[in-house]
Amino acid sequence: MINSLNSAGQFAVQMPVQKENTLNKLLYELADEEPFKSYLKGWKRDSPVLSMDEYAQIMFEGNLEDIQIMTKVYPIIAQNHDALFDFISGSALIPYMELFQQDQQQLFVDAFKEKIAVNFPKLPAIYAFKRIFLYGIKA
């Protein structure tokens, strides 16, 4: 994308920092536990999001100026555990659910909800949803 910019073109990207987000960490842990690891045949969806340092280097090499790289936290206030489950069920959970048979899906959902409840013992709970923002102008 950077290489396709004209001089003075703006580069602006934002994406979730899934490796650092608690719900994603819980999802990765659960997918690595039996029987789910066997159901998934060891598959896990790894986040392709790089570190801030790696993006900075790519942006330097792409001849960008006025570079801004930051992580922003969006605090999500969950009144109950289902709100946390619902938040991730519309995104990162989808590819896992697609690989399970129907009876395996419910088992996974129940285990994931239990893991959420253990890791967020007090309600309401705050969930720090992190996103990375990248910005620069092509020299």
Side-chain angles (χ1 to χ4, degrees):
M1 288 175 21
I2 293 172
N3 291 335
S4 66
L5 290 174
N6 294 326
S7 180
Q10 295 183 49
F11 175 75
V13 174
Q14 59 140 336
M15 60 200 121
V17 185
Q18 292 180 328
K19 290 179 185 176
E20 294 180 18
N21 287 330
T22 303
L23 291 174
N24 292 87
K25 288 179 182 181
L26 297 177
L27 176 59
Y28 301 149
E29 287 173 14
L30 188 58
D32 207 30
E33 296 173 8
E34 291 298 346
F36 310 114
K37 186 174 183 174
S38 293
Y39 295 160
L40 295 166
K41 298 180 176 105
W43 178 85
K44 278 197 297 191
R45 182 176 178 242
D46 189 30
S47 172
V49 178
L50 304 175
S51 71
M52 292 175 91
D53 292 341
E54 290 169 308
Y55 284 120
Q57 192 58 48
I58 290 168
M59 294 168 78
F60 293 144
E61 291 169 2
N63 205 24
L64 294 181
E65 297 176 339
D66 299 324
I67 291 174
Q68 297 176 38
I69 303 172
M70 67 177 174
T71 300
K72 180 172 172 128
V73 175
Y74 291 89
I76 296 167
I77 308 300
Q79 298 298 324
N80 55 54
H81 295 122
D82 282 340
L84 293 167
F85 175 81
D86 291 346
F87 180 77
I88 196 167
S89 68
S91 56
L93 190 59
I94 292 172
Y96 291 89
M97 298 304 286
E98 290 175 342
L99 294 174
F100 290 128
Q101 295 176 11
Q102 190 169 8
D103 59 324
Q104 296 169 343
Q105 287 179 348
Q106 191 58 54
L107 186 63
F108 191 80
V109 166
D110 292 344
F112 192 38
K113 285 183 175 183
E114 184 177 320
K115 199 173 262 294
I116 289 170
V118 167
N119 284 272
F120 293 90
K122 294 186 179 183
L123 293 170
I126 187 165
Y127 175 57
F129 180 66
K130 299 174 188 173
R131 294 187 77 81
I132 189 169
F133 290 82
L134 310 171
Y135 177 82
I137 299 174
K138 186 75 169 195

